[in-house]
Amino acid sequence: MRIVLSSVQLRAGAFSFAADDFFSEGVHMISGRIGSGKSTLGSALAGLSEIESGKIILEGCGSPILLMQFPEYQVTGPTVVREISSWGVPRGDPTFSSLDVEISDRDPFTLSRGELKRLMLACVFSKDPDVLILDEPYASLDISAKEVLTGMIENRRGITIVFSHETEYAPNHAVWWKIESGGLHRE
């Protein structure tokens, strides 16, 4: 199972980004300055945005799931219960209790940012995709939830790509990457 970036070029206005490498099974932590292209790369890896040139090749894995930096961008259900149902996962999945998600008929937009982030994290982890892309997953979480999330990331199978500034919570066995000078570099 691999994701190959073959001479990938991304461009948006004056912004330009290049990558020619691969992600294998395991956890990959990607850091970089604000505006360096982390979210843009995550979106391209998930197949949600076009690349200017090159290819992103999924070898031996299904379609990636992306959890965006701002969870409210992905809400589709009018209640927490219907949001969970929209992901096609059982609300009794233990991931919801691990992340302290209250399953209710509340409107997801009435949840705090941290509650909404935990809900969306529980949904994507319950799907257990081959490839999981997390854009700033630690944002809006308290320390306890950050530690739980790190454990969940460590215990996942497949490829997990985490774009984050909060590197102090990174799993110990992660492969480290940095986006700088318009490119992706393995550290």
Side-chain angles (χ1 to χ4, degrees):
M1 185 178 315
R2 291 186 341 156
I3 299 175
V4 178
L5 304 172
S6 177
S7 302
V8 169
Q9 294 282 326
L10 300 168
R11 195 173 309 278
F15 168 80
S16 178
F17 174 85
D20 197 17
D21 215 317
F22 67 92
F23 299 106
S24 57
E25 279 192 68
V27 179
H28 300 268
M29 292 294 298
I30 302 176
S31 64
R33 293 177 36 168
I34 293 171
S36 63
K38 296 182 303 298
S39 294
T40 302
L41 177 58
S43 179
L45 289 170
L48 299 176
S49 61
E50 292 186 29
I51 58 175
E52 185 170 285
S53 63
K55 292 182 184 176
I56 296 175
I57 305 161
L58 303 175
E59 294 180 347
C61 52
S63 296
I65 290 181
L66 167 68
L67 181 62
M68 296 177 187
Q69 179 175 359
F70 303 108
E72 56 273 19
Y73 292 173
Q74 289 182 264
V75 173
T76 60
T79 67
V80 170
V81 169
R82 299 235 344 243
E83 179 62 29
I84 293 168
S85 178
S86 76
W87 285 88
V89 297
R91 60 178 145 175
D93 188 291
T95 307
F96 291 95
S97 61
S98 295
L99 284 166
D100 197 27
V101 173
E102 181 183 331
I103 299 173
S104 69
D105 286 324
R106 281 182 67 185
D107 179 335
F109 291 107
T110 67
L111 301 175
S112 72
R113 175 61 75 74
E115 289 171 323
L116 185 56
K117 179 72 89 150
R118 291 193 323 267
L119 169 62
M120 300 308 282
L121 284 164
C123 289
V124 297
F125 274 88
S126 293
K127 291 290 287 183
D128 194 27
D130 291 339
V131 179
L132 180 56
I133 303 164
L134 303 170
D135 191 0
E136 297 295 347
Y138 296 105
S140 304
L141 298 179
D142 62 24
I143 291 171
S144 176
K146 288 177 183 184
E147 291 170 350
V148 168
L149 175 57
T150 296
M152 292 170 66
I153 291 169
E154 287 176 334
N155 292 320
R156 255 189 52 76
R157 295 172 286 121
I159 300 171
T160 306
I161 302 170
V162 180
F163 296 92
S164 183
H165 292 5
E166 297 188 61
T167 56
E168 65 270 24
Y169 295 101
N172 293 326
H173 61 280
V175 176
W176 288 87
W177 300 79
K178 188 161 194 133
I179 295 179
E180 62 185 355
S181 303
L184 178 67
H185 309 281
R186 203 179 291 242
E187 293 188 329

